[in-house]
């Protein structure tokens, strides 16, 4: 390993030569071209000792913050017992985690993968297997991952077109439009896959009545409703699951990101026992070598314990309201820069009038040691997704940095 100090030029060189020259340039342009060294709670420290307040939160990964001590302890203890499963015996941690998720989601069975996109792949396969139908309905600007099936139902052509042909039978419709949904769901539709809040699509919250209509249409026409809660799930929006805001029960639920407590990668999809019957007599039809490994399951069990005991969903509601009000106050003072503030809980987006403003704002916030990022499918939207453990003082510090960044950006782009 390279010496801990002054590593940025060396690491940047390695990125350019062996990882991604374009990514190295993009990170440097954002003002975050330094090298990460350590992290704890809401703070990331670089190789020169500078501390950054993390309001990107790993795009939803760090709901418990970085290196939560209870999650780290659970993983460390398991590391000294059995890091990976032998895969020929019953896995006690996977069984316990599946049971706890069943209790929380009211869905009976779980399959564990290593990421959100893998979990989406499994959900799509199960929907086709159960229904015997090929069709899938997804929303424009949705993001479900970048493996072939997940990419097929993602909603930005920039990422899909280079890999065409993708899986057939996918219909994309405008998000939040019940009439388009009604027209798209037919007797050949296996599933409708939706995010309750589009994360990478620009933090768009499903309009009231939309998910209820999707639920009713799927029930009426024999299709399944898949809720992709990879980013919204586990307290992020102020409820344990975002679908709870609308009292909607999906047929298949997808979780990942926050499930590993910011320590281990893990994803899963869950479904009712009726739907799981599609696997009857075929237990090896869908498998994963590392899915449900003991380290990941130990992290997830500790994460669910902390989320519930500390009522982090409630904390997301309280501090999300404070952060949203503060962002709206900045909006009122800089309407020439900001078009809208929206979101739920601690999943908030600021839509800018022009895409070029985003780079300036992110760079200026980095100068003040606050991390913010844009959304992948809508670069005109800056997201704020801090750990659910964030403090009121840290929310205020972020707001001060954002206001100052807006002031400097307005000076950079005078009207």
């Amino acid at each position: 390993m390279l010496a801990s100090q002054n590593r940025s030029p060396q690491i940047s060189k390695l990125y350019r030569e062996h990882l991604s020259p374009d990514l190295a340039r993009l990170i440097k342009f954002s003002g975050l071209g330094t090298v990460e060294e350590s992290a704890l709670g809401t703070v990331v420290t670089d190789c020169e000792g500078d501390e950054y307040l993390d309001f990107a939160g790993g795009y939803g990964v760090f709901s418990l913050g970085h290196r939560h001590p209870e999650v780290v302890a659970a993983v460390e203890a398991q590391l000294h017992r059995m890091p990976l499963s032998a895969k020929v015996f019953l896995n006690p941690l996977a069984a316990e985690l599946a049971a706890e998720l069943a209790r929380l989601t009211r869905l009976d069975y779980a399959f564990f993968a290593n990421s959100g996109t893998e979990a989406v792949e499994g959900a799509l396969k199960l929907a086709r297997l159960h229904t015997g139908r090929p069709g899938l309905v997804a929303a424009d600007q949705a993001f479900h991952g970048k493996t072939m099936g997940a990419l097929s139902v993602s909603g930005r052509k920039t990422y899909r077109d280079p890999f065409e042909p993708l899986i057939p039978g996918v219909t994309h419709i405008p998000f939040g439009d019940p009439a388009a949904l009604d027209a798209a769901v037919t007797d050949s539709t296996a599933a409708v896959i939706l995010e309750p809040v589009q994360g990478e699509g620009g933090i768009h919250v499903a309009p009231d009545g939309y998910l209820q209509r999707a639920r009713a249409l799927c029930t009426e026409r024999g299709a399944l409703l898949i809720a992709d809660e990879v980013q919204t799930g586990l307290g992020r929006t102020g409820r344990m699951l975002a679908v709870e805001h609308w009292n909607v029960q999906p047929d298949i639920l997808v979780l990942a990101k926050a499930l590993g407590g910011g320590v281990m990668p893990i994803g899963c999809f869950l479904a009712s026992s009726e739907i799981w019957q599609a696997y009857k007599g075929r237990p090896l039809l869908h498998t994963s070598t590392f899915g449900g490994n003991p380290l990941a399951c130990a992290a997830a069990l500790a994460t669910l314990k902390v989320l519930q005991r500390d009522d982090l969903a409630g904390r997301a509601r309280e501090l999300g309201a404070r952060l949203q009000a503060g962002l709206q106050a900045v909006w009122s003072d800089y309407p020439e820069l900001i078009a809208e503030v929206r979101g739920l809980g601690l999943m908030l987006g600021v839509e800018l009038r022009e895409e070029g403003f985003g780079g300036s704002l992110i760079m200026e916030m980095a100068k003040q040691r606050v991390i913010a990022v844009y959304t992948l499918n809508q670069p005109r939207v800056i997201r704020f997704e801090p750990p659910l453990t964030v403090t009121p003082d840290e929310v205020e510090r972020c707001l001060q940095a954002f206001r100052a960044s807006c002031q400097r950006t307005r000076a950079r782009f005078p009207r």
Side-chain angles (χ1 to χ4, degrees):
M1 182 180 291
L2 298 171
S4 60
Q5 292 186 338
N6 301 318
R7 297 173 66 196
S8 296
Q10 296 162 297
I11 296 299
S12 180
K13 180 175 183 291
L14 293 179
Y15 259 76
R16 292 194 305 272
E17 294 178 353
H18 302 294
L19 277 173
S20 170
D22 291 332
L23 183 59
R25 283 192 291 271
L26 179 62
I27 292 174
K28 184 177 181 179
F29 176 75
S30 73
L32 295 167
T34 184
V35 173
E36 60 188 14
E37 188 71 24
S38 64
L40 182 64
T42 53
V43 175
V44 177
T45 304
D46 72 9
C47 63
E48 296 181 6
D50 291 323
E51 295 184 343
Y52 292 78
L53 187 59
D54 186 359
F55 264 66
Y59 318 105
V61 168
F62 297 108
S63 288
L64 269 60
H66 295 266
R67 210 154 41 96
H68 191 284
E70 292 180 57
V71 182
V72 170
V75 172
E76 185 176 27
Q78 185 59 41
L79 178 65
H80 294 290
R81 286 194 295 268
M82 189 176 196
L84 292 177
S85 171
K87 304 297 284 189
V88 295
F89 300 101
L90 299 178
N91 179 338
L93 291 177
E96 292 168 16
L97 178 58
E100 179 63 6
L101 287 169
R103 185 185 68 81
L104 289 172
T105 65
R106 295 181 293 139
L107 294 168
D108 304 301
Y109 286 88
F111 179 93
F112 296 114
N114 307 285
S115 64
T117 192
E118 290 175 64
V120 167
E121 293 284 341
L124 298 177
K125 287 174 67 178
L126 178 57
R128 282 185 162 182
L129 186 66
H130 173 76
T131 62
R133 299 173 176 183
L136 298 165
V137 175
D140 291 338
Q141 298 304 316
F143 184 83
H144 300 292
K146 289 180 178 173
T147 51
M148 294 297 276
L151 183 60
S152 300
V153 292
S154 290
R156 190 178 183 195
K157 290 175 68 63
T158 299
Y159 299 119
R160 294 201 316 264
D161 284 356
F163 303 102
E164 294 282 0
L166 297 170
I167 66 170
V170 179
T171 301
H172 287 92
I173 58 173
F175 181 68
D177 184 340
L181 189 64
D182 200 334
V185 181
T186 70
D187 59 8
S188 67
T189 301
V192 175
I193 182 167
L194 295 169
E195 302 159 276
V197 182
Q198 286 194 326
E200 304 304 332
I203 316 296
H204 290 285
V205 181
D208 286 341
Y210 182 64
L211 291 179
Q212 293 95 322
R213 182 58 180 155
R215 172 69 280 169
L217 280 171
C218 287
T219 301
E220 173 188 321
R221 298 176 188 178
L224 301 185
L225 177 62
I226 302 173
D228 181 343
E229 295 233 25
V230 167
Q231 194 167 160
T232 59
L234 304 177
R236 172 59 53 186
T237 69
R239 299 286 184 92
M240 184 58 75
L241 301 174
V243 290
E244 294 172 9
H245 288 284
W246 298 277
N247 195 30
V248 167
Q249 178 72 6
D251 296 298
I252 303 176
L253 175 71
V254 185
L255 297 171
K257 293 191 182 292
L259 185 58
V263 176
M264 291 297 299
I266 182 171
C268 77
F269 63 95
L270 300 107
S272 68
S273 57
E274 177 188 356
I275 293 168
W276 218 262
Q277 284 294 309
Y279 289 132
K280 186 175 181 180
R282 298 180 283 184
L284 302 180
L285 194 60
H286 185 72
T287 58
S288 170
T289 299
F290 296 115
N293 71 75
L295 293 178
C297 290
L301 282 165
T303 297
L304 295 177
K305 178 182 176 181
V306 172
L307 279 169
Q308 295 171 87
R309 183 197 66 207
D310 297 349
D311 187 23
L312 293 186
R315 189 175 183 84
R317 287 195 301 274
E318 176 189 347
L319 292 178
R322 182 184 296 223
L323 178 58
Q324 187 166 12
L327 293 172
Q328 288 170 336
V330 177
W331 175 19
S332 68
D333 291 339
Y334 294 92
E336 69 277 24
L337 297 181
I338 300 171
E340 188 179 7
V341 173
R342 56 181 178 260
L344 277 177
L346 281 170
M347 186 175 179
L348 300 172
V350 175
E351 182 167 348
L352 305 172
R353 297 285 180 187
E354 296 180 17
E355 189 172 309
F357 296 158
S360 174
L361 284 167
I362 290 169
M363 180 177 64
E364 291 296 339
M365 291 188 73
K367 289 178 183 177
Q368 297 171 79
R369 304 294 185 258
V370 177
I371 302 171
V373 292
Y374 60 81
T375 59
L376 197 60
N377 285 354
Q378 184 49 272
R380 201 169 63 247
V381 178
I382 295 177
R383 76 176 86 196
F384 292 86
E385 293 186 42
L388 309 187
T389 56
V390 69
T391 68
D393 286 347
E394 289 168 336
V395 168
E396 186 56 35
R397 180 182 159 195
C398 172
L399 289 169
Q400 290 174 358
F402 183 62
R403 179 176 290 278
S405 298
C406 284
Q407 182 180 16
R408 292 168 186 168
T409 296
R410 181 167 64 181
R412 185 174 288 124
F413 296 93
R415 292 293 182 180

Coordinates of all heavy atoms in Angstrom, one line a residue, residues 316-373:
A316 N -35.6 9.9 10.5 CA -35.6 10.4 9.1 C -36.7 11.3 8.8 O -36.6 12.3 8.1 CB -35.6 9.2 8.1
R317 N -37.9 11.1 9.4 CA -39.0 12.0 9.2 C -38.7 13.3 9.9 O -39.0 14.4 9.3 CB -40.3 11.4 9.9 CG -40.9 10.2 9.1 CD -42.3 10.0 9.6 NE -42.4 9.6 11.1 CZ -42.2 8.4 11.6 NH1 -41.9 7.4 10.7 NH2 -42.3 8.2 12.8
E318 N -38.2 13.3 11.1 CA -38.0 14.6 11.8 C -36.9 15.4 11.2 O -37.1 16.6 10.9 CB -37.6 14.2 13.3 CG -37.3 15.4 14.1 CD -36.7 15.1 15.4 OE1 -36.8 13.9 15.8 OE2 -36.1 16.0 16.1
L319 N -35.7 14.8 11.0 CA -34.6 15.6 10.4 C -34.8 15.8 8.9 O -34.3 16.8 8.4 CB -33.3 14.9 10.7 CG -33.0 14.9 12.2 CD1 -31.7 14.1 12.5 CD2 -32.8 16.3 12.8
G320 N -35.5 14.9 8.2 CA -35.8 15.2 6.8 C -36.7 16.4 6.7 O -36.5 17.2 5.7
A321 N -37.6 16.6 7.5 CA -38.5 17.8 7.5 C -37.7 19.0 7.7 O -37.9 20.1 7.1 CB -39.6 17.7 8.5
R322 N -36.7 18.9 8.7 CA -35.9 20.1 9.0 C -35.0 20.4 7.8 O -34.8 21.6 7.4 CB -35.0 19.8 10.2 CG -34.1 20.9 10.6 CD -33.2 20.5 11.8 NE -34.0 20.2 13.0 CZ -33.7 20.6 14.2 NH1 -32.6 21.4 14.4 NH2 -34.4 20.3 15.2
L323 N -34.4 19.4 7.2 CA -33.5 19.6 6.0 C -34.3 20.1 4.8 O -33.9 21.0 4.1 CB -32.8 18.3 5.6 CG -31.9 18.3 4.4 CD1 -30.8 19.3 4.6 CD2 -31.3 16.9 4.2
Q324 N -35.5 19.5 4.6 CA -36.3 20.0 3.5 C -36.7 21.4 3.6 O -36.7 22.2 2.7 CB -37.5 19.1 3.3 CG -38.3 19.4 2.0 CD -39.3 18.3 1.7 OE1 -39.6 17.4 2.5 NE2 -39.9 18.3 0.5
A325 N -37.1 21.8 4.8 CA -37.5 23.2 5.1 C -36.3 24.2 4.8 O -36.5 25.3 4.3 CB -38.0 23.4 6.5
G326 N -35.1 23.7 5.3 CA -34.0 24.6 5.0 C -33.6 24.7 3.6 O -33.2 25.8 3.1
L327 N -33.7 23.6 2.8 CA -33.5 23.7 1.4 C -34.5 24.5 0.7 O -34.2 25.3 -0.3 CB -33.5 22.3 0.8 CG -32.4 21.3 1.2 CD1 -32.6 19.9 0.7 CD2 -31.0 21.8 0.7
Q328 N -35.7 24.5 1.1 CA -36.8 25.3 0.5 C -36.5 26.8 0.8 O -36.8 27.7 0.0 CB -38.1 24.9 1.0 CG -38.6 23.6 0.5 CD -39.8 23.0 1.1 OE1 -40.1 23.3 2.3 NE2 -40.6 22.1 0.5
A329 N -36.0 27.1 2.0 CA -35.6 28.5 2.3 C -34.5 29.0 1.4 O -34.6 30.1 0.9 CB -35.2 28.6 3.7
V330 N -33.5 28.1 1.0 CA -32.5 28.5 0.1 C -33.1 28.7 -1.3 O -32.8 29.6 -2.0 CB -31.4 27.5 0.1 CG1 -30.3 27.8 -1.0 CG2 -30.7 27.3 1.4
W331 N -34.0 27.8 -1.7 CA -34.8 27.9 -2.9 C -35.4 29.3 -3.1 O -35.3 29.9 -4.1 CB -35.8 26.8 -3.0 CG -36.7 26.8 -4.2 CD1 -36.5 27.4 -5.4 CD2 -37.9 26.0 -4.3 NE1 -37.5 27.2 -6.3 CE2 -38.4 26.3 -5.6 CE3 -38.6 25.2 -3.5 CZ2 -39.6 25.8 -6.1 CZ3 -39.8 24.6 -3.9 CH2 -40.3 24.9 -5.2
S332 N -36.1 29.7 -2.0 CA -36.8 31.0 -2.1 C -35.8 32.2 -2.3 O -36.2 33.2 -2.9 CB -37.6 31.2 -0.8 OG -36.8 31.4 0.3
D333 N -34.6 32.0 -1.9 CA -33.6 33.1 -2.0 C -32.8 33.0 -3.3 O -32.2 34.0 -3.7 CB -32.6 33.1 -0.8 CG -33.2 33.5 0.5 OD1 -34.3 34.2 0.4 OD2 -32.7 33.1 1.5
Y334 N -32.8 31.8 -3.9 CA -32.1 31.6 -5.2 C -33.0 31.0 -6.3 O -32.6 29.9 -6.8 CB -30.8 30.8 -4.9 CG -29.8 31.5 -4.1 CD1 -29.8 31.3 -2.7 CD2 -28.9 32.3 -4.6 CE1 -28.9 31.9 -1.9 CE2 -27.9 33.0 -3.8 CZ -28.0 32.8 -2.4 OH -27.1 33.4 -1.6
P335 N -34.1 31.6 -6.6 CA -35.0 30.9 -7.6 C -34.4 30.9 -9.0 O -34.9 30.1 -9.8 CB -36.3 31.8 -7.5 CG -35.8 33.2 -7.0 CD -34.6 32.9 -6.1
E336 N -33.4 31.7 -9.2 CA -32.8 31.7 -10.6 C -31.9 30.5 -10.7 O -31.6 30.1 -11.8 CB -32.0 33.0 -10.8 CG -30.8 33.1 -10.0 CD -31.0 33.7 -8.6 OE1 -32.2 33.6 -8.1 OE2 -30.1 34.3 -8.0
L337 N -31.5 29.8 -9.6 CA -30.7 28.6 -9.6 C -31.6 27.4 -9.4 O -31.3 26.3 -10.1 CB -29.6 28.7 -8.5 CG -28.6 29.7 -8.6 CD1 -27.6 29.6 -7.4 CD2 -27.8 29.7 -9.9
I338 N -32.5 27.4 -8.5 CA -33.3 26.3 -8.1 C -34.7 26.3 -8.6 O -35.4 27.3 -8.5 CB -33.3 26.2 -6.5 CG1 -31.8 26.1 -6.0 CG2 -34.1 25.0 -6.0 CD1 -31.7 26.3 -4.5
A339 N -35.1 25.1 -9.2 CA -36.5 25.0 -9.7 C -37.4 24.3 -8.8 O -38.6 24.7 -8.8 CB -36.4 24.2 -11.0
E340 N -36.9 23.4 -7.9 CA -37.8 22.7 -7.0 C -37.0 22.0 -6.0 O -35.9 21.6 -6.2 CB -38.7 21.7 -7.8 CG -39.8 21.0 -7.0 CD -40.6 20.1 -7.7 OE1 -40.3 19.8 -8.9 OE2 -41.6 19.6 -7.2
V341 N -37.6 21.8 -4.8 CA -37.1 20.9 -3.7 C -38.2 19.9 -3.5 O -39.3 20.2 -3.3 CB -36.8 21.7 -2.5 CG1 -36.4 20.7 -1.3 CG2 -35.7 22.7 -2.7
R342 N -37.8 18.6 -3.4 CA -38.8 17.5 -3.2 C -38.2 16.3 -2.6 O -36.9 16.2 -2.6 CB -39.4 17.1 -4.6 CG -38.4 16.7 -5.6 CD -39.1 16.3 -7.0 NE -38.1 16.0 -8.0 CZ -37.7 16.8 -8.9 NH1 -38.2 18.0 -9.0 NH2 -36.7 16.4 -9.8
G343 N -39.0 15.4 -2.1 CA -38.6 14.1 -1.6 C -39.4 13.7 -0.4 O -40.4 14.3 0.0
L344 N -38.9 12.6 0.3 CA -39.5 12.1 1.5 C -38.4 11.8 2.5 O -37.4 11.2 2.1 CB -40.3 10.8 1.2 CG -41.7 10.9 0.6 CD1 -42.2 9.5 0.3 CD2 -42.7 11.6 1.6
G345 N -38.6 12.1 3.8 CA -37.7 11.8 4.8 C -36.3 12.3 4.5 O -36.2 13.5 4.1
L346 N -35.3 11.5 4.6 CA -33.9 11.9 4.3 C -33.5 11.4 2.9 O -32.4 11.0 2.7 CB -33.0 11.4 5.4 CG -33.0 12.3 6.6 CD1 -32.2 11.6 7.8 CD2 -32.5 13.7 6.4
M347 N -34.4 11.6 2.0 CA -34.2 11.3 0.5 C -34.7 12.5 -0.2 O -35.9 12.5 -0.7 CB -34.9 10.0 0.1 CG -34.5 9.5 -1.3 SD -35.3 7.9 -1.7 CE -34.7 7.7 -3.4
L348 N -33.9 13.5 -0.4 CA -34.3 14.8 -0.9 C -33.5 15.2 -2.1 O -32.4 14.8 -2.3 CB -34.2 15.9 0.2 CG -35.0 15.6 1.5 CD1 -34.6 16.7 2.5 CD2 -36.5 15.7 1.2
G349 N -34.2 15.9 -3.0 CA -33.6 16.3 -4.3 C -33.8 17.8 -4.5 O -34.9 18.3 -4.2
V350 N -32.8 18.4 -5.0 CA -32.9 19.8 -5.4 C -32.7 19.9 -6.9 O -31.6 19.6 -7.4 CB -31.8 20.7 -4.7 CG1 -31.9 22.1 -5.2 CG2 -32.0 20.7 -3.2
E351 N -33.8 20.2 -7.6 CA -33.7 20.3 -9.1 C -33.3 21.8 -9.4 O -33.8 22.7 -9.0 CB -35.0 20.0 -9.8 CG -34.9 20.1 -11.3 CD -36.1 19.5 -12.0 OE1 -36.9 18.8 -11.3 OE2 -36.2 19.7 -13.2
L352 N -32.2 21.8 -10.3 CA -31.7 23.1 -10.7 C -32.2 23.6 -12.0 O -32.7 22.8 -12.8 CB -30.1 23.0 -10.8 CG -29.5 22.4 -9.5 CD1 -28.0 22.2 -9.8 CD2 -29.6 23.4 -8.4
R353 N -32.1 24.9 -12.2 CA -32.7 25.4 -13.5 C -31.8 24.9 -14.7 O -32.4 24.8 -15.8 CB -32.6 26.9 -13.5 CG -33.5 27.6 -12.4 CD -34.9 27.5 -12.8 NE -35.8 28.1 -11.7 CZ -37.1 28.1 -11.7 NH1 -37.7 27.5 -12.7 NH2 -37.8 28.6 -10.8
E354 N -30.5 24.8 -14.5 CA -29.7 24.3 -15.6 C -28.7 23.3 -15.1 O -28.2 23.3 -13.9 CB -28.8 25.5 -16.1 CG -29.7 26.6 -16.8 CD -28.8 27.7 -17.3 OE1 -27.6 27.5 -17.5 OE2 -29.4 28.8 -17.5
E355 N -28.4 22.3 -15.9 CA -27.5 21.2 -15.5 C -26.1 21.7 -15.1 O -25.5 21.2 -14.2 CB -27.4 20.2 -16.7 CG -26.7 18.9 -16.3 CD -26.8 17.9 -17.4 OE1 -27.9 17.6 -17.9 OE2 -25.7 17.3 -17.8
G356 N -25.6 22.7 -15.8 CA -24.3 23.3 -15.5 C -24.2 23.8 -14.0 O -23.0 23.8 -13.5
F357 N -25.3 24.2 -13.4 CA -25.2 24.6 -12.0 C -24.7 23.5 -11.1 O -24.2 23.8 -10.0 CB -26.5 25.2 -11.6 CG -27.0 26.4 -12.3 CD1 -28.4 26.7 -12.3 CD2 -26.1 27.2 -13.0 CE1 -28.8 27.8 -13.0 CE2 -26.6 28.3 -13.7 CZ -27.9 28.6 -13.7
G358 N -25.1 22.3 -11.4 CA -24.8 21.2 -10.5 C -23.3 21.0 -10.2 O -22.9 20.8 -9.1
G359 N -22.5 21.0 -11.3 CA -21.1 20.9 -11.1 C -20.5 21.9 -10.2 O -19.6 21.7 -9.3
S360 N -21.0 23.2 -10.4 CA -20.5 24.3 -9.5 C -20.9 24.1 -8.1 O -20.1 24.2 -7.2 CB -21.0 25.6 -10.1 OG -20.7 26.7 -9.2
L361 N -22.1 23.7 -7.8 CA -22.6 23.6 -6.5 C -21.9 22.4 -5.8 O -21.5 22.6 -4.6 CB -24.1 23.3 -6.5 CG -25.0 24.6 -6.7 CD1 -26.4 24.2 -7.0 CD2 -24.9 25.5 -5.5
I362 N -21.7 21.3 -6.4 CA -21.0 20.2 -5.8 C -19.6 20.5 -5.5 O -19.1 20.2 -4.4 CB -21.1 18.9 -6.7 CG1 -22.6 18.4 -6.8 CG2 -20.2 17.8 -6.3 CD1 -22.9 17.4 -7.8
M363 N -18.9 21.2 -6.4 CA -17.5 21.6 -6.2 C -17.4 22.6 -5.0 O -16.5 22.5 -4.2 CB -17.0 22.2 -7.5 CG -15.5 22.7 -7.4 SD -14.9 23.3 -8.9 CE -16.0 24.7 -9.1
E364 N -18.3 23.5 -5.0 CA -18.3 24.5 -3.9 C -18.6 23.9 -2.6 O -18.0 24.2 -1.5 CB -19.3 25.7 -4.2 CG -18.9 26.6 -5.3 CD -17.6 27.3 -5.1 OE1 -17.2 27.5 -3.9 OE2 -17.0 27.8 -6.1
M365 N -19.5 22.9 -2.5 CA -19.8 22.3 -1.3 C -18.6 21.4 -0.8 O -18.3 21.3 0.4 CB -21.0 21.4 -1.4 CG -22.3 22.2 -1.5 SD -23.8 21.3 -1.5 CE -23.9 20.9 0.3
A366 N -17.9 20.8 -1.8 CA -16.7 20.0 -1.5 C -15.6 20.9 -0.8 O -14.9 20.5 0.1 CB -16.1 19.3 -2.7
K367 N -15.5 22.2 -1.3 CA -14.6 23.1 -0.7 C -14.9 23.4 0.7 O -14.0 23.7 1.5 CB -14.6 24.4 -1.5 CG -14.0 24.3 -2.9 CD -14.1 25.7 -3.6 CE -13.5 25.6 -5.0 NZ -13.7 26.9 -5.7
Q368 N -16.2 23.3 1.1 CA -16.6 23.5 2.5 C -16.7 22.2 3.2 O -17.3 22.1 4.3 CB -17.9 24.3 2.5 CG -17.8 25.6 1.9 CD -19.1 26.3 1.7 OE1 -19.6 26.8 2.7 NE2 -19.6 26.3 0.5
R369 N -16.2 21.1 2.6 CA -16.1 19.8 3.3 C -17.5 19.2 3.5 O -17.7 18.6 4.6 CB -15.3 19.9 4.6 CG -13.9 20.5 4.4 CD -13.0 19.5 3.6 NE -11.6 20.0 3.5 CZ -11.1 20.7 2.4 NH1 -11.8 20.9 1.4 NH2 -9.8 21.1 2.4
V370 N -18.3 19.4 2.6 CA -19.6 18.7 2.6 C -19.8 17.9 1.3 O -19.6 18.5 0.2 CB -20.8 19.6 2.8 CG1 -22.1 18.9 2.7 CG2 -20.7 20.4 4.1
I371 N -20.1 16.6 1.3 CA -20.3 15.8 0.1 C -21.7 15.8 -0.3 O -22.6 15.5 0.4 CB -19.8 14.4 0.4 CG1 -18.4 14.3 0.9 CG2 -20.0 13.5 -0.9 CD1 -17.9 12.9 1.4
A372 N -21.9 16.2 -1.6 CA -23.2 16.0 -2.2 C -23.0 15.5 -3.7 O -21.9 15.7 -4.2 CB -24.0 17.4 -2.3
V373 N -24.0 14.9 -4.2 CA -23.8 14.3 -5.6 C -25.1 14.5 -6.3 O -26.2 14.8 -5.8 CB -23.5 12.8 -5.6 CG1 -22.1 12.6 -5.0 CG2 -24.5 12.0 -4.7

